[in-house]
Amino acid sequence: MIRLNDITSSLLGYHPEADVSLVEKAYVYSAKVHQGQVRLSGEPYLSHPLEVAHILTQMKMDVISVVAGLLHDTIEDTGAELSEIERLFGKETANIVDGVTKISKMKFSDSEERQAENMRKMILAMATDIRVIIVKLADRLHNMQTLGFQPPEKQRLIAKETLDIYAPLAGRMGIYWMKSTLQDLCLYYLEPEIYAKIKSDLAERKGDREKFIEEVKALLSQKLKEANINAAIKGRHKNLYSIYTKMKEQNLSPNQVYDILAFRVIVDSLKECYEVLGLIHSTWKPIPGRFKDYVSLPKANMYQSLHTSVIGPLGQRMEIQIRTWEMDKVAEEGIAAHWKYKEGLVASKTDEKQIKWLRQLLEWQKSLQDPKEFMETVRMDLFPDEVYVFTPKGEVKEFPKGATPVDFAYSIHSEVGNKCIGAKVNGRMVPLRYELKNGDTVEIITSNKHEPSKDWLEFVKTPRARTKIRQWIMKQERAQSIELGKEILEKSIEQARLNLPNILKNEQIAAVARDLSFHSTEDLLANLGFGKVSAKQIIARLKPSLGIEEQPHPGIVSKVVSRIKRKKSTHGIKVKGLDNMLVRFANCCHPLPGEHVVGFITRGRGVTIHKYNCRHILDAEPDRVVEVVWEPSDHDLYLAKLKVVTTDKKGILADISSIIAQNNANILQAQIQTTIDKKGVSLFTIEVENYKQLQTIMGAIKKIKNVLIVERA
Ligand code: MN
């Protein structure tokens, strides 16, 4: 078991001025809160944070990271409060412990690749401090090293999670040794038989391999010496997991996988890199398409090397990397040095952001020479434009920053969105405009009675939610328009005395709809409701199909009407539906009141009234014939405007109105204003039969108390 002393001496080894007292304080605190807890291995729980802290010192991490390593499980597993950790160990440490705790709480449920990618992104996004991920990786490494104490089911689950999420994360962080170690441990638990086979095959051929490596090294050294190049040569076999991947890809057994050897030649200068390359290519046959020049074209993470593959002395393929000592340092120690290195994967679109991030990271790294200073200074928002949240089932969903529970609801199903009435985030109710945060678990509450609101458009962030809400509103408005259109048409049908009981199912109406190039009766009604088509138009088209003569086209009617402007019908006849028409009686048929009559719209002379069976009408253009009825009253009505000035007193308006009504006149309009000197000025528009009636009314109003002036306006 690792002891505190191992940690502090390891720390002091690379960081002589390190504040060891803080590490000791963290050790004491961790020991206190974990007291009595035991790991599955039977060891005291404290052994785990000690191991994690030790791994962090092996990674040459700063004091804060080592302290956070000692404390990383205190919040989750003991009653420790974050505020207490902040008080005792500072804000930075508390922030890292908090981040590690949050990541540990996340459930991994789906093994789909896309899901794993989202998971990795979420972890990166949640870590406001890069050390969160490094501490988490150290934690995971020790858990994997002690996985044997877990029940088999859990072993598989944790190994799968590590392989899909943490090993690639380690790769992305450039901690390549961590990535290979994790991968090999995962292989051991996930494919124990294959693992054993590869391992034994490697062991079996160990002698041969070592002999071969020595042979290559000797040959190369000789050539380099001749060329007067000072270089170090390293040879090794690839990790078990990458041999396993090659086996799977090429469908081979372990001993059929030849290119398991990788050599590295490290030289003093850039110029020598290319000299060595030339030398190698002239010694062994290069494999076409395998040469990569990351020296003149460094990877986004600043990785630099020349890569080539050649057919070796025994006909074996071997990979050779050539770089300077400086490049080697970047590749070994740089945070992202081995990003996607040797994975045989091309950066996808979704990786662009990470590349951007890494580039930025390395920019910072360049300007901060001391890696520890870099670690301490960098606070980053890794994916500032995205937020990752969980469904209640543990599935990860990605949203633009600022997205709300409504966006979440629509991402599940448009029905869930439409019926979304509320949301719970991490078990607590939140308003629908709540901004989702990384790692939130979101649960949508729906109600069948609920409907989307136009207001939602103000705060939703995803195009999907926006579109769905708009669609719903349009559908809703259409439904209202159909209802309104139906009402209007029913009324018009009634007025036209047609017998059409069921508008929606009526074949004649459906035919009219088609005539007017609408898709359906509903469509026709919606447009009627919107006012894009008139009821008259529809009725006019309905009549012929019902054996009734067609009405004049309203287009022409309104055109004519606009030319004939006179106040009032004065002949006891009224053109149905059209007020204020100039009307004359035809000289050909002399219609009398009460007789069945129709109107004929003349050009510029108003409407002429004919008997319905007059031959002039039978020959007339149907469009110009309008339906007319006899006005019930023989009286002519005149409009009069009255101005009444009163002292401002409540009830005076009622008094005036009742006088007008008592004298059988109609009030068409009334306006009341109060002047600065608190007088009431009322304007009435009334309908009277004659001047005498108007005089009577004016006289009566004058007699009302508080009325000052009555006059015609
Ligand atoms: Mn832990």
Side-chain angles (χ1 to χ4, degrees), residues 414-467:
S414 51
E415 274 306 290
V416 177
N418 286 340
K419 288 175 179 164
C420 163
I421 191 171
K424 275 185 182 175
V425 166
N426 307 326
R428 240 184 285 167
M429 286 298 296
V430 295
L432 284 177
R433 37 173 90 226
Y434 168 87
E435 276 192 20
L436 298 176
K437 291 179 184 60
N438 276 314
D440 277 352
T441 298
V442 187
E443 189 185 335
I444 295 297
I445 299 156
T446 58
S447 158
N448 277 333
K449 287 178 205 144
H450 199 68
E451 292 174 351
S453 158
K454 252 184 190 171
D455 303 342
W456 292 1
L457 289 171
E458 285 169 26
F459 59 76
V460 294
K461 285 286 181 302
T462 51
R464 184 184 160 82
R466 200 172 292 280
T467 312

Side-chain angles (χ1 to χ4, degrees), residues 508-526:
Q508 276 103 348
I509 294 175
V512 170
R514 281 194 296 274
D515 268 10
L516 293 167
S517 20
F518 292 113
H519 299 299
S520 62
T521 301
E522 279 199 351
D523 206 16
L524 173 74
L525 293 176

Side-chain angles (χ1 to χ4, degrees), residues 39 45 48-49 52 69 72-73 76-77 100 104 136 139-140 143:
R39 295 202 98 211
Y45 194 88
H48 169 63
V52 172
H72 81 272
D73 273 334
E76 208 187 352
D77 296 345
V100 174
S104 303
K136 182 65 206 169
D139 174 40
R140 180 51 58 113
N143 284 337

Side-chain angles (χ1 to χ4, degrees), residues 258-530:
Y258 284 121
D259 50 347
I260 60 167
L261 290 180
F263 290 88
R264 188 171 298 159
V265 183
I266 304 164
V267 293
D268 294 330
S269 72
L270 196 129
K271 187 178 131 263
E272 285 170 339
C273 288
Y274 291 96
E275 284 176 20
V276 172
L277 180 76
L279 221 110
I280 288 168
H281 281 185
S282 65
T283 310
W284 297 298
K285 194 176 178 293
I287 297 165
R290 295 295 299 267
F291 170 65
K292 292 200 179 74
D293 184 352
Y294 295 119
V295 170
S296 57
L297 246 136
K299 284 190 180 185
N301 57 20
M302 273 172 62
Y303 174 87
Q304 282 185 299
S305 256
L306 296 177
H307 288 192
T308 189
S309 286
V310 296
I311 308 289
L314 298 171
Q316 286 202 10
R317 280 164 165 244
M318 38 185 217
E319 236 177 63
I320 303 171
Q321 301 166 354
I322 308 154
R323 57 202 187 205
T324 65
W325 288 102
E326 216 184 306
M327 293 173 196
D328 192 54
K329 195 165 183 283
V330 170
E332 289 292 314
E333 291 173 18
I335 275 188
H338 282 286
W339 184 69
K340 290 226 157 167
Y341 163 58
K342 281 184 206 161
E343 280 182 357
L345 292 172
V346 181
S348 68
K349 270 253 156 131
T350 52
D351 282 327
E352 266 169 29
K353 274 194 187 120
Q354 273 119 312
I355 294 171
K356 220 169 108 191
W357 160 61
L358 285 168
R359 206 170 274 145
Q360 198 183 354
L361 197 72
L362 289 148
E363 278 305 314
W364 287 326
Q365 200 173 22
K366 248 197 293 190
S367 59
L368 295 165
Q369 283 306 314
D370 176 10
K372 283 189 290 297
E373 185 194 347
F374 164 70
M375 284 298 185
E376 280 159 18
T377 316
V378 175
R379 290 266 182 282
M380 71 203 83
D381 213 353
L382 299 164
F383 299 96
D385 305 330
E386 285 153 32
V387 58
Y388 299 88
V389 299
F390 288 108
T391 67
K393 284 180 184 164
E395 196 189 323
V396 181
K397 284 186 171 281
E398 178 186 340
F399 293 96
K401 199 176 179 130
T404 63
V406 176
D407 292 291
F408 182 93
Y410 277 104
S411 80
I412 296 169
H413 197 276
S414 51
E415 274 306 290
V416 177
N418 286 340
K419 288 175 179 164
C420 163
I421 191 171
K424 275 185 182 175
V425 166
N426 307 326
R428 240 184 285 167
M429 286 298 296
V430 295
L432 284 177
R433 37 173 90 226
Y434 168 87
E435 276 192 20
L436 298 176
K437 291 179 184 60
N438 276 314
D440 277 352
T441 298
V442 187
E443 189 185 335
I444 295 297
I445 299 156
T446 58
S447 158
N448 277 333
K449 287 178 205 144
H450 199 68
E451 292 174 351
S453 158
K454 252 184 190 171
D455 303 342
W456 292 1
L457 289 171
E458 285 169 26
F459 59 76
V460 294
K461 285 286 181 302
T462 51
R464 184 184 160 82
R466 200 172 292 280
T467 312
K468 293 287 172 190
I469 295 166
R470 286 222 179 96
Q471 273 175 7
W472 191 90
I473 290 169
M474 272 168 67
K475 214 172 130 192
Q476 209 55 23
E477 281 176 352
R478 184 179 153 86
Q480 281 166 5
S481 297
I482 290 171
E483 205 42 50
L484 182 63
K486 201 173 151 233
E487 237 171 74
I488 294 171
L489 192 58
E490 270 168 358
K491 234 172 239 171
S492 305
I493 286 171
E494 204 184 302
Q495 274 172 9
R497 298 203 178 83
L498 305 178
N499 184 27
L500 292 167
N502 194 342
I503 287 178
L504 280 167
K505 287 187 183 150
N506 185 279
E507 199 25 61
Q508 276 103 348
I509 294 175
V512 170
R514 281 194 296 274
D515 268 10
L516 293 167
S517 20
F518 292 113
H519 299 299
S520 62
T521 301
E522 279 199 351
D523 206 16
L524 173 74
L525 293 176
N527 278 280
L528 177 57
F530 274 129

Side-chain angles (χ1 to χ4, degrees), residues 67-272:
V67 168
L70 283 168
L71 302 171
H72 81 272
D73 273 334
T74 54
I75 291 181
E76 208 187 352
D77 296 345
T78 77
E81 290 283 336
L82 193 63
S83 56
E84 193 179 24
I85 288 173
E86 186 175 331
R87 188 169 51 78
L88 293 170
F89 302 99
K91 207 176 165 70
E92 270 179 274
T93 308
N95 182 43
I96 297 171
V97 172
D98 185 39
V100 174
T101 308
K102 276 182 185 153
I103 293 171
S104 303
K105 274 185 190 162
M106 299 196 307
K107 265 188 300 170
F108 175 80
S109 65
D110 199 329
S111 61
E112 269 178 54
E113 178 49 33
R114 198 181 60 81
Q115 187 67 10
E117 175 58 26
N118 276 343
M119 199 79 184
R120 292 193 288 265
K121 279 191 187 173
M122 164 134 63
I123 292 170
L124 285 173
M126 281 177 77
T128 49
D129 186 320
I130 200 163
R131 290 172 293 187
V132 169
I133 298 164
I134 292 168
V135 173
K136 182 65 206 169
L137 285 172
D139 174 40
R140 180 51 58 113
L141 177 61
H142 185 241
N143 284 337
M144 282 304 293
Q145 284 166 342
T146 52
L147 197 62
F149 297 103
Q150 295 279 359
E153 200 33 55
K154 209 144 183 219
Q155 285 176 359
R156 288 194 64 81
L157 217 71
I158 293 172
K160 187 90 179 70
E161 183 183 85
T162 304
L163 188 63
D164 288 340
I165 293 165
Y166 292 102
L169 258 184
R172 235 166 255 191
M173 303 297 291
I175 313 164
Y176 189 70
W177 65 267
M178 168 92 77
K179 181 185 167 181
S180 343
T181 311
L182 288 175
Q183 281 178 335
D184 285 359
L185 282 164
C186 292
L187 187 66
Y188 175 79
Y189 287 102
L190 293 172
E191 300 283 358
E193 280 160 34
I194 295 177
Y195 179 91
K197 178 97 178 81
I198 297 172
K199 189 124 189 157
S200 70
D201 275 17
L202 277 176
E204 218 171 86
R205 292 184 293 152
K206 193 178 176 222
D208 290 350
R209 191 171 58 247
E210 274 169 4
K211 212 177 110 201
F212 178 78
I213 288 172
E214 284 316 310
E215 231 170 274
V216 170
K217 272 168 117 174
L219 225 147
L220 248 182
S221 305
Q222 181 60 30
K223 297 255 174 192
L224 289 167
K225 214 174 180 180
E226 284 165 18
N228 212 6
I229 296 169
N230 179 30
I233 306 165
K234 295 173 184 175
R236 58 176 179 92
H237 69 76
K238 292 169 181 170
N239 76 327
L240 272 65
Y241 187 79
S242 56
I243 294 170
Y244 164 73
T245 317
K246 279 184 196 295
M247 280 168 57
K248 243 178 42 176
E249 267 170 17
Q250 300 161 28
N251 205 15
L252 300 169
S253 69
N255 54 16
Q256 284 177 301
V257 179
Y258 284 121
D259 50 347
I260 60 167
L261 290 180
F263 290 88
R264 188 171 298 159
V265 183
I266 304 164
V267 293
D268 294 330
S269 72
L270 196 129
K271 187 178 131 263
E272 285 170 339

Side-chain angles (χ1 to χ4, degrees), residues 33-51:
V33 298
H34 285 300
Q35 194 169 36
Q37 292 179 344
V38 177
R39 295 202 98 211
L40 288 175
S41 62
E43 285 181 297
Y45 194 88
L46 188 65
S47 64
H48 169 63
L50 280 169
E51 291 280 356

